[in-house]
Amino acid sequence: EVQLVESGGGLVQAGRSLRLTCAGSGFRLDDYAIGWFRQAPGKEREGVACITSIDGTTYYADSVKGRFTISSDKVRNTVYLEISSLKPEDTAVYYCAAAYGNSITTMRYRLPFDYFGQGTQVTVSS
C-alpha cells in the first residue's frame, strides 16, 4: 500500500526558511514522480514542485521558482521541500503526492496524481 506522510509544517515568521518532509512507503521512489502541492483557504490546489528521483529532474511552478527547492533521498524513500524567504502568501496546507511513471510532465501538464498524503499546515506570520 502506497503511503505518503508529510511533516515539518508549523507557524513561522516571514523571511525565515522551512523544510517539509514527505516520507513514502509501499513503493520505490524511482518508479514515481513526487510532487508538492499547496492549497490556501478559498483557493484551488496548486502544484508547486515535482521531482523524478531516478534522474533528479525537477519542475517548479513559476510562482515559486527561486525560493522553493525539491530534493529526494532514495535511501530514506523521502522527498523534501525547502522553502526560503517565506511570505504570508505561502500560508497553505502542503501536500505531497505520487504519480506512477516518473515524469515531471504529470505536474507540468496538470495530469492526475495517484496518491496524496494528508497534508501539513504552513502558516507564515508577517
Side-chain angles (χ1 to χ4, degrees):
E1 179 187 5
V2 172
Q3 287 193 325
L4 301 164
V5 179
E6 303 93 334
S7 61
L11 175 63
V12 293
Q13 287 186 323
R16 303 292 292 269
S17 297
L18 195 67
R19 188 176 80 163
L20 305 181
T21 299
C22 173
S25 61
F27 67 99
R28 284 182 359 119
L29 213 53
D30 277 351
D31 293 335
Y32 286 78
I34 304 297
W36 281 96
F37 293 77
R38 66 182 179 183
Q39 187 164 21
K43 294 189 176 181
E44 289 188 358
R45 187 168 61 192
E46 172 190 21
V48 295
C50 188
I51 188 168
T52 54
S53 299
I54 194 168
D55 60 5
T57 302
T58 58
Y59 165 85
Y60 296 96
D62 289 342
S63 58
V64 304
K65 279 181 182 175
R67 294 195 303 118
F68 285 33
T69 303
I70 190 170
S71 61
S72 67
D73 183 336
K74 289 196 281 187
V75 173
R76 292 180 169 81
N77 226 48
T78 297
V79 173
Y80 305 97
L81 184 69
E82 187 88 26
I83 309 173
S84 62
S85 302
L86 278 156
K87 304 176 182 181
E89 50 264 43
D90 293 322
T91 295
V93 178
Y94 284 73
Y95 302 89
C96 68
Y100 184 75
N102 59 36
S103 174
I104 60 160
T105 58
T106 306
M107 179 171 285
R108 184 191 298 273
Y109 296 113
R110 301 187 180 184
L111 301 176
F113 276 67
D114 301 300
Y115 305 96
F116 279 83
Q118 83 290 348
T120 185
Q121 175 72 47
V122 173
T123 303
V124 184
S125 63
S126 56

